[in-house]
Amino acid sequence: MTATVKYDEVEVGQEIPAVDYNVRRLDLVMYAGASGDFNQIHWNERFAKMVGLPDVIAHGMYTMAQAGRFVTDWVGDPGAIVDFGVRFSSMVVVPDDDQGATVRVSGVVEEKLEDKRVVVGLTARSGDARVLSKARAVVQLS
């Protein structure tokens, strides 16, 4: 695949519109199976509360994956991410209902680099909490 976003068509400061990602308990169970992370705080409400959490929480890496998905959906090529990093700054609490939680991811082009690469700064929030900080992706554009 080739990136559909063209380097010459983006500017520093350009905002990438926010996308909402729904997170339900079922998503966490499926992610646990794929990742091998079956820690009970990600699926067992009784256990999560016993260890002091408000409820079941999403895997940090699942939340990071939603930010990565946001970038790849924008650029049109999953292989276009050259570098990607975040810090986990808050939890995504996932209630046991039909709605679950929502992670809203948005981005801004922070810097244009050589070789048609850009730095995209990402913001990920769940409710009032910023769940990822220092979230950045270096993306290869066409």
Side-chain angles (χ1 to χ4, degrees):
M1 296 181 84
T2 303
T4 57
V5 177
K6 302 203 180 327
Y7 182 81
D8 294 334
E9 296 175 0
V10 299
E11 298 297 330
V12 172
Q14 179 178 330
E15 294 185 10
I16 304 168
V19 176
D20 289 343
Y21 298 98
N22 193 32
V23 185
R24 296 166 299 135
R25 297 262 177 105
L26 176 59
D27 300 314
L28 301 182
V29 171
M30 290 189 302
Y31 183 81
S35 68
D37 181 353
F38 291 99
N39 188 318
Q40 292 185 59
I41 63 174
H42 301 304
W43 57 271
N44 184 321
E45 183 174 335
R46 180 180 44 80
F47 183 82
K49 289 181 176 181
M50 184 178 72
V51 298
L53 296 171
D55 207 330
V56 165
I57 61 170
H59 304 75
M61 294 301 288
Y62 178 88
T63 305
M64 182 179 179
Q66 300 316 303
R69 175 180 169 192
F70 172 81
V71 175
T72 59
D73 287 350
W74 170 69
V75 76
D77 178 5
I81 295 180
V82 176
D83 189 39
F84 183 41
V86 306
R87 286 199 181 165
F88 304 111
S89 52
S90 190
M91 299 174 284
V92 176
V93 178
V94 183
D96 188 16
D97 60 22
D98 293 333
Q99 286 76 42
T102 300
V103 175
R104 172 169 282 194
V105 183
S106 60
V108 64
V109 176
E110 293 184 338
E111 185 178 358
K112 291 181 84 169
L113 306 172
E114 296 177 357
D115 299 325
K116 296 186 178 183
R117 292 179 178 186
V118 295
V119 177
V120 176
L122 301 163
T123 300
R125 303 186 72 80
S126 183
D128 294 332
R130 186 172 182 171
V131 295
L132 300 177
S133 62
K134 297 188 179 187
R136 303 270 181 289
V138 176
V139 184
Q140 180 71 56
L141 303 181
S142 58

